Amino acid sequence: MKKLLCLFLTFTSFAVLHAQDLSPVLGVGDNRPEAYAFTNATVVADCQTVIENAVMVIKKGKIVGVGKNVSIPNDAVVVDLEGKYIYPSFIDLFTEYGVSGQNGSSGSHSNYRQQIFDSKIDGPFYWNDAIKPYKKAIEDFHVDPKSAGDFRKAGFGAVLTQKNDGIMRGVSAFVALSDNDEELVVLKGQAACGYSFDKGSSGMNYPSSLMGAFALLRQAFYDADWYDSTSGKTVYDASLGAITQNKTLPSVFQVRDKINLLDVARLGKEFDIPFIMKGNGDEYQLLDEVAGTGASIILPINFPSAPDVTDPYKAILVPFEDLKHWELAPYNPARLSEKNIGFAFTTEGLKDKKQFRKNLLKAIKCGLPEDEALKALTITPAKLIGCDDMLGTLEKGKIANFLIASSKIFDPECVVYENWVQGVKYILKDSKLPDLKGEYSLSLSNGSNFDIVVDGKPGSYSLKVKTEGDKSEKGKISVSENLISFSFPSDKKWIRLSGWIDGKTLKGTGAMPDGDNISWTMGFEKAKEEKEEEKKEEGQVAPGKVICPFVAYGNEVKPQYKDFIIKNATVWTMEDDGVLENADVLVKDGKIAKVGKGLKAGNVWEIDGTGMHVTPGIIDEHSHMALNGVNEGSHAITSEVRMRDVLNPEDITIYRQLAGGVTCSHLLHGSANPIGGQSVLIKLRWGCNPEEMLVKNQVGFLKHALGENVKQSRMPSSQRFPLTRMGVEQSIRDVYLRAKEYQKEWEKYNSLSGSEKAQTPAPRKNLQLDAIVEEFEKKRFLVCHTYVQSETNMIMKLAHEFGITPHTLIHNTEGYKVADKMVEAGAAGSVFADWWTYKYEVVDAIAYNAAIQSKAGALVCVNSDDAEMGRRLNQEAGKIVKYGGLSEIEALKLVTINPAKILHLDDRMGSIKVGKDADLVLWTDNPLSIYAMPEKTFVDGTVYFDKEKDKEMYSSIQKERSRIINKIIAGGDGKKAGPGDEKPSIRLNDQFIYDDEDITDFSIYE
């Protein structure tokens, strides 16, 4: 019955909700007037309005008047609050209060082993059970007095609640934190809808990665739009219908970090959904970019605990970014406020809600204005979910949710006495308890005297007795109304006293350690003297600067461009000019302006290149760095996923590869599937956001893969089709055939006249098939992971059958056997220099592969496929001079102009030619030599790696580490090991790996 009432109340107004309790009277009725008048209070009506000596009247759970000249009803209970303050109760927009259900995430590792491909939820729902838009928190909601009490003690009066389960989590409810029955506390049954990238309790394999979750969300949104059209109504799908309905509600998206926040904002823009972001507390690290999204943020303040740095050896293992974040995280709210980014606080992430106030005061000490703090706790959360007509301020007609406090709410000594929720009083601290904090002189009737120090707040006192010098001994104290009892040690024996409080004087009787009864008097001397270190407010000392990226070797200031000329160097043009001795390269506006000898440059930065070599920047045609996830290995065909969605500009590999002369990389999906995902091309602009790293106007590529990885040879328990090489071919053929039919559907629809098209339903948009159709239309190009010659022949024939060019054959370790066929098919080769025998299908690999393919007329490049190898591709190219006899120029082309041609970038990069991007490397030696090191690496003419600056940065990093470590130890926090209240992450190669999503069996496919 209660559940039915809750569903009914979802659609009722607040006025009806509070009209009366619909439950029958059991026992004796309680017909109190429910009217209260609070007088002589300082009412903080909102973050800007303070009314002194005010009157606030409430009746039946609502505010009926607030101000200086408010009439008091005859039936009201009058409460004199002289010297006290009234504030609106707080609102938390990210909780699971009172919502039952299965917790936890199944995790990608377990998903793979379970091999679950179909939803286990019965009914007309979406095919993937991580999509749960039909879920309603109100259906599982119950009042939880204990949890409500914890929230109330932290100052909260209402919360948004939803079970955090799934990628689409359904509809949340806005509820009051009173202990009334469920039908009386629900303020708004359908308040917002929730999203995340965590599939929660779903046991399905798909998605097993962040990019898969992105793709699933996009497809579900498109399916909902299709379903909402005429074409979709031939079937009934409760999930798709709910997605459309939920779009009218505020949308809360739980993001993983500040980079993920930017990607979600891009997703929201695609579907015109202004997501409210449940943040991660690291937004200050990309402040301008976060502000640029225009998104409001639900902000946790679960600041990290200090890492364990007392042991020097353990301290070395603490990542630099963890030290920086420990110091800077408390400044996050202040910096969001400075950028006018709207935010609301949440208790989410705190193991104990008692920590909330402590962290809130810490944020204020670190620069957050008090009015902004109050705003983030009251009116902002109310407005974000459209409930500011109910709560958020103290105004006539609003719900009577308010706090009664001893002083200003953000005063560290403030005591919150009562939290009123829906007009019901909940006592947090006895307001009648006296403030005893101070220093006292205790006199016993036997002539003994002691100096006593009482510290703390009413309801929570501590006591010390002074001994010699500045030393003191801890005692025990208990206060109840005007009664007091305390005890303390004297000569290792305890004196026990009890009595009463009479103003500033305390008196009573007690017992000495020997049993003698005594009387005592304790007089107030003065307020407690604070030690100097206690007087220092945390946050007054300026912290270190934010670096970007927020890892070691991040920049305090983004690299600045300036025109320059390199003089008297050996210039490897990779053009018909070959190698120019004692030549100059002039760069203006990020482009190569002139190449030649004795150039006059005017007033530009001059770099002496004497004895050094200049080459185009190295282009890595096959890389998996800078990605938060490499494989969506769940389904055989995952062409819908995009590497762009998981680009990680903070991967230290970017900087390391700049140090190896790499300026551009092709980031591909892994090789777990016959067809994987859509790759992305980036320039290695270290310190830039994901959008700034993208190569502009790039063509698309789609990863295919054959062989052992795809058929899962090393996973004998696998149940995913295909399990054989012929099954791999059939998987690709099948999706090609489906894509052809899909292409015809759209061609037929697009050929209709305007009036016909308006009356004809559009075909369902299929993201998986869209990518294949783009291959047919030569808007996207096939790249294929292949090893043995039989499969290489197969993919070339299969591509030809469907009118596709087998654009790039990756690895292609037996390509030397079919080089003539490659040339005939128009296929390029992207190969290793000398990898072999690391699995069975590579046993015929040879180091002469690249040279043989090249001499046969194929376009060939050498790639890394490995973060470590990526920073020495120049040496990999040099190997081909030995293994195959290519000239030095032809060898260097394998990592410069050749990959540029393969990636359709040769009009912009890959050689030193007037008009091309100034992606250049200044080497200390012949670039193919093992002794060569980049002196400077330029991307678009900007220096992103400088060998001398690198040395300076190393020194500054060590100094900054020492400064923060000393700060931790000086604060007494150095022994608190671990990430504290933050969600733990697995760290691999000093990089965060989220939710264990990359530590999977699919890692062998990278």
Side-chain angles (χ1 to χ4, degrees):
M1 184 62 185
K2 284 187 176 181
K3 187 172 287 188
L4 291 174
L5 280 171
C6 290
L7 292 172
F8 168 73
L9 290 170
T10 296
F11 305 99
T12 60
S13 68
F14 168 69
V16 172
L17 180 108
H18 277 274
Q20 59 184 355
D21 186 348
L22 303 181
S23 303
V25 175
L26 302 176
V28 179
D30 185 357
N31 298 316
R32 302 185 193 185
E34 297 186 51
Y36 297 87
F38 303 92
T39 62
N40 301 317
T42 299
V43 176
V44 182
D46 56 50
C47 59
Q48 296 179 330
T49 307
V50 179
I51 311 170
E52 295 182 353
N53 297 317
V55 175
M56 187 172 80
V57 178
I58 67 171
K59 191 169 185 177
K60 293 188 180 296
K62 295 179 68 175
I63 299 171
V64 296
V66 58
K68 285 185 174 294
N69 299 310
V70 176
S71 59
I72 299 175
N74 293 330
D75 60 347
V77 177
V78 179
V79 181
D80 186 356
L81 294 182
E82 184 174 2
K84 296 182 177 62
Y85 285 70
I86 302 179
Y87 282 85
S89 294
F90 305 155
I91 300 169
D92 191 334
L93 293 185
F94 200 85
T95 79
E96 292 185 279
Y97 167 71
V99 181
S100 60
Q102 184 175 353
N103 276 310
S105 170
S106 51
S108 59
H109 199 104
S110 61
N111 285 349
Y112 176 76
R113 296 189 183 283
Q114 290 173 7
Q115 296 282 290
I116 298 174
F117 299 104
D118 297 318
S119 172
K120 300 303 179 183
I121 298 178
D122 295 329
F125 301 115
Y126 201 59
W127 68 271
N128 192 290
D129 58 25
I131 302 298
K132 305 173 181 185
Y134 51 85
K135 283 286 186 181
K136 292 182 173 63
I138 196 66
E139 294 179 353
D140 295 316
F141 175 73
H142 62 276
V143 170
D144 182 347
K146 183 182 182 304
S147 179
D150 291 339
F151 274 108
R152 289 194 298 262
K153 289 174 185 176
F156 291 87
V159 297
L160 190 69
T161 183
Q162 181 173 52
K163 193 66 196 167
N164 294 332
D165 182 19
I167 291 173
M168 284 189 181
R169 294 170 166 176
V171 179
S172 55
F174 188 48
V175 300
L177 291 167
S178 77
D179 294 342
N180 286 324
D181 289 340
E182 283 82 353
E183 62 265 30
L184 299 179
V185 303
V186 177
L187 306 178
K188 197 171 187 179
Q190 297 190 45
C193 53
Y195 302 87
S196 78
F197 289 120
D198 182 354
K199 60 186 179 182
S201 61
S202 170
M204 294 182 66
N205 285 42
Y206 186 89
S208 65
S209 67
L210 178 58
M211 58 186 158
F214 258 107
L216 178 58
L217 267 175
R218 294 180 70 236
Q219 186 64 68
F221 281 134
Y222 278 121
D223 285 348
D225 290 343
W226 167 81
Y227 180 79
D228 196 43
S229 68
T230 306
S231 60
K233 294 188 177 173
T234 57
V235 295
Y236 175 76
D237 190 305
S239 302
L240 297 180
I243 292 172
T244 301
Q245 294 172 9
N246 294 352
K247 275 190 176 183
T248 62
L249 298 173
S251 298
V252 176
F253 206 118
Q254 182 178 12
V255 300
R256 299 185 174 192
D257 58 24
K258 77 275 186 181
I259 297 169
N260 194 218
L261 186 153
L262 303 182
D263 292 330
V264 169
R266 180 167 44 84
L267 177 71
K269 188 175 181 181
E270 181 178 355
F271 294 98
D272 194 26
I273 303 175
F275 287 119
I276 301 165
M277 308 293 184
K278 160 47 184 66
N280 200 48
D282 58 0
E283 293 76 18
Y284 67 93
Q285 297 169 18
L286 281 176
L287 198 56
D288 289 335
E289 288 82 355
V290 171
T293 67
S296 297
I297 300 173
I298 300 173
L299 197 64
I301 50 175
N302 54 327
F303 304 140
S305 298
D308 185 357
V309 293
T310 51
D311 184 325
Y313 294 101
K314 288 184 179 180
I316 291 172
L317 300 177
V318 178
F320 183 56
E321 56 268 31
D322 284 8
L323 293 173
K324 294 282 288 182
H325 185 56
W326 170 83
E327 181 180 44
L328 292 170
Y331 293 84
N332 189 47
R335 293 183 176 174
L336 292 179
S337 175
E338 290 168 4
K339 284 288 183 178
N340 296 315
I341 299 171
F343 62 91
F345 285 123
T346 176
T347 59
E348 193 272 340
L350 293 173
K351 293 179 179 177
D352 187 346
K353 290 182 176 59
K354 293 177 182 177
Q355 190 74 16
F356 180 80
R357 178 172 172 81
K358 178 181 177 182
N359 287 359
L360 182 61
L361 295 180
K362 189 173 187 179
I364 290 171
K365 288 178 181 178
C366 290
L368 177 64
E370 292 187 2
D371 60 337
E372 289 293 310
L374 183 61
K375 184 179 178 182
L377 290 164
T378 54
I379 190 60
T380 294
K383 284 183 175 179
L384 286 177
I385 59 169
C387 291
D388 50 316
D389 59 333
M390 298 182 188
L391 291 172
T393 61
L394 300 179
E395 297 179 77
K396 182 178 180 180
K398 291 193 174 182
I399 301 173
N401 277 24
F402 58 93
L403 306 170
I404 297 177
S406 63
S407 58
K408 290 183 178 179
I409 197 76
F410 301 122
D411 182 341
E413 302 301 320
C414 174
V415 178
V416 179
Y417 296 121
E418 297 170 6
N419 189 346
W420 289 65
V421 181
Q422 293 182 299
V424 177
K425 177 171 67 174
Y426 294 91
I427 298 174
L428 309 183
K429 298 285 185 182
D430 189 346
S431 61
K432 297 178 181 178
L433 289 178
D435 187 355
L436 299 181
K437 184 178 178 182
E439 297 185 13
Y440 294 82
S441 177
L442 172 63
S443 299
L444 305 183
S445 58
N446 65 0
S448 299
N449 295 287
F450 298 90
D451 292 326
I452 302 291
V453 178
V454 178
D455 202 356
K457 301 176 183 178
S460 180
Y461 287 116
S462 63
L463 180 143
K464 292 180 181 179
V465 57
K466 291 184 179 181
T467 56
E468 298 178 2
D470 292 333
K471 296 181 180 179
S472 61
E473 294 278 356
K474 288 185 179 180
K476 299 178 181 179
I477 183 171
S478 175
V479 180
S480 176
E481 295 186 354
N482 70 328
L483 300 179
I484 183 170
S485 62
F486 61 98
S487 58
F488 58 89
S490 177
D491 294 330
K492 298 183 180 180
K493 297 181 180 180
W494 285 77
I495 298 174
R496 294 169 291 127
L497 308 173
S498 62
W500 62 94
I501 303 165
D502 185 8
K504 289 289 186 180
T505 302
L506 293 75
K507 59 184 70 173
T509 59
M512 296 297 289
D514 58 8
D516 289 346
N517 294 324
I518 57 168
S519 60
W520 60 272
T521 302
M522 191 162 77
F524 181 80
E525 293 290 319
K526 57 183 177 179
K528 178 180 175 291
E529 290 184 358
E530 305 287 350
K531 293 180 181 179
E532 284 303 312
E533 56 268 28
E534 291 176 344
K535 292 180 181 179
K536 291 180 181 178
E537 287 199 339
E538 203 175 342
Q540 296 301 308
V541 178
K545 294 183 179 180
V546 176
I547 54 176
C548 188
F550 200 78
V551 292
Y553 295 93
N555 306 296
E556 290 183 1
V557 179
K558 187 177 288 189
Q560 301 298 305
Y561 169 80
K562 56 182 175 180
D563 293 342
F564 65 91
I565 186 170
I566 301 174
K567 300 285 289 184
N568 303 318
T570 300
V571 179
W572 299 61
T573 66
M574 301 296 103
E575 294 285 343
D576 293 339
D577 294 335
V579 179
L580 305 177
E581 301 288 344
N582 298 315
D584 309 333
V585 179
L586 176 64
V587 172
K588 286 192 172 182
D589 300 322
K591 302 288 184 181
I592 298 169
K594 291 182 181 179
V595 183
K597 295 186 179 183
L599 298 181
K600 302 297 181 183
N603 187 26
V604 299
W605 175 32
E606 186 172 307
I607 302 170
D608 185 4
T610 303
M612 292 192 276
H613 297 248
V614 179
T615 71
I618 290 174
I619 300 172
D620 190 351
E621 192 282 330
H622 183 160
S623 176
H624 299 297
M625 69 163 183
L627 296 170
N628 285 326
V630 173
N631 279 288
E632 176 49 64
S634 51
H635 290 170
I637 307 297
T638 58
S639 49
E640 70 277 5
V641 305
R642 308 181 299 186
M643 310 318 291
R644 166 67 186 90
D645 292 330
V646 291
L647 186 57
N648 175 18
E650 296 193 329
D651 186 350
I652 192 64
T653 305
I654 298 171
Y655 184 76
R656 290 171 179 164
Q657 293 199 2
L658 281 165
V662 180
T663 57
C664 178
S665 290
H666 186 206
L667 309 184
L668 291 103
H669 188 277
S671 54
N673 329 64
I675 300 182
Q678 303 164 37
S679 57
V680 65
L681 285 161
I682 65 166
K683 288 222 185 174
L684 274 59
R685 301 184 180 106
W686 180 243
C688 293
N689 63 50
E691 197 68 29
E692 293 169 332
M693 295 189 73
L694 299 178
V695 172
K696 303 303 179 187
N697 302 314
Q698 59 183 272
V699 300
F701 295 89
L702 185 62
K703 177 70 177 290
H704 294 53
L706 312 172
E708 289 186 16
N709 292 4
V710 183
K711 68 188 186 70
Q712 302 177 347
S713 299
R714 284 170 280 179
M715 297 180 188
S717 62
S718 175
Q719 301 169 21
R720 190 197 75 180
F721 182 89
L723 299 176
T724 63
R725 294 181 189 270
M726 57 187 172
V728 173
E729 176 183 2
Q730 183 57 38
S731 293
I732 298 172
R733 181 183 300 278
D734 175 71
V735 74
Y736 278 5
L737 288 170
R738 288 189 287 115
K740 281 292 183 184
E741 293 301 315
Y742 177 74
Q743 183 183 32
K744 290 176 183 177
E745 280 187 72
W746 277 100
E747 288 174 347
K748 181 179 179 181
Y749 175 76
N750 289 326
S751 67
L752 297 174
S753 64
S755 58
E756 290 177 313
K757 184 179 284 189
Q759 297 174 4
T760 305
R764 170 181 173 263
K765 184 175 180 63
N766 187 316
L767 295 177
Q768 182 188 89
L769 299 182
D770 279 343
I772 308 296
V773 170
E774 287 177 351
E775 281 190 317
F776 298 155
E777 296 175 348
K778 294 181 170 52
K779 296 176 182 177
R780 188 172 298 281
F781 297 92
L782 180 156
V783 293
C784 189
H785 160 119
T786 178
Y787 284 90
V788 300
Q789 64 169 324
S790 58
E791 287 190 315
T792 302
N793 277 323
M794 179 275 289
I795 195 64
M796 289 193 290
K797 291 178 180 178
L798 182 60
H800 178 72
E801 180 183 337
F802 285 89
I804 300 172
T805 299
H807 190 278
T808 313
L809 302 178
I810 303 169
H811 307 316
N812 198 20
T813 50
E814 294 186 17
Y816 64 91
K817 298 180 181 180
V818 292
D820 56 336
K821 299 295 184 184
M822 289 174 57
V823 174
E824 183 181 331
S830 179
V831 303
F832 298 127
D834 58 358
W835 280 22
W836 58 70
T837 67
Y838 52 89
K839 56 182 175 177
Y840 182 77
E841 63 184 1
V842 199
V843 293
D844 275 1
I846 61 175
Y848 296 87
N849 189 27
I852 293 173
Q853 291 185 39
S854 183
K855 290 176 180 179
L859 179 59
V860 180
C861 71
V862 170
N863 68 56
S864 75
D865 193 26
D866 175 79
E868 176 59 32
M869 186 185 289
R871 57 177 176 167
R872 47 187 171 84
L873 276 172
N874 62 311
Q875 296 176 30
E876 296 299 300
K879 293 175 181 178
I880 311 304
V881 177
K882 177 178 180 179
Y883 298 107
L886 293 188
S887 69
E888 290 188 347
I889 292 177
E890 290 301 313
L892 191 58
K893 284 183 177 180
L894 295 175
V895 292
T896 54
I897 191 63
N898 285 10
K901 289 177 179 178
I902 291 172
L903 297 171
H904 300 253
L905 298 174
D906 52 308
D907 61 329
R908 295 183 254 175
M909 57 190 84
S911 65
I912 299 177
K913 181 179 179 180
V914 172
K916 285 195 174 185
D917 296 350
D919 297 347
L920 303 169
V921 187
L922 181 62
W923 301 87
T924 59
D925 207 323
N926 182 307
L928 299 177
S929 167
I930 61 171
Y931 300 106
M933 294 186 294
E935 183 73 26
K936 290 179 174 62
T937 302
F938 303 86
V939 179
D940 298 312
T942 299
V943 180
Y944 281 94
F945 173 79
D946 185 297
K947 192 170 69 167
E948 292 306 313
K949 183 184 176 184
D950 179 76
K951 294 176 183 177
E952 295 172 5
M953 291 178 74
Y954 177 81
S955 177
S956 66
I957 289 169
Q958 303 314 309
K959 290 178 181 178
E960 181 74 345
R961 287 182 65 91
S962 294
R963 182 188 67 80
I964 299 173
I965 287 171
N966 289 333
K967 185 175 180 179
I968 292 172
I969 295 173
D973 296 326
K975 294 183 180 179
K976 296 178 181 176
D981 291 333
E982 291 186 318
K983 182 180 181 181
S985 300
I986 290 176
R987 190 177 291 278
L988 184 64
N989 296 330
D990 206 28
Q991 296 297 303
F992 273 123
I993 303 298
Y994 297 98
D995 294 343
D996 199 21
E997 74 180 8
D998 290 314
I999 314 300
T1000 71
D1001 291 332
F1002 302 129
S1003 63
I1004 63 174
Y1005 297 143
E1006 296 178 11

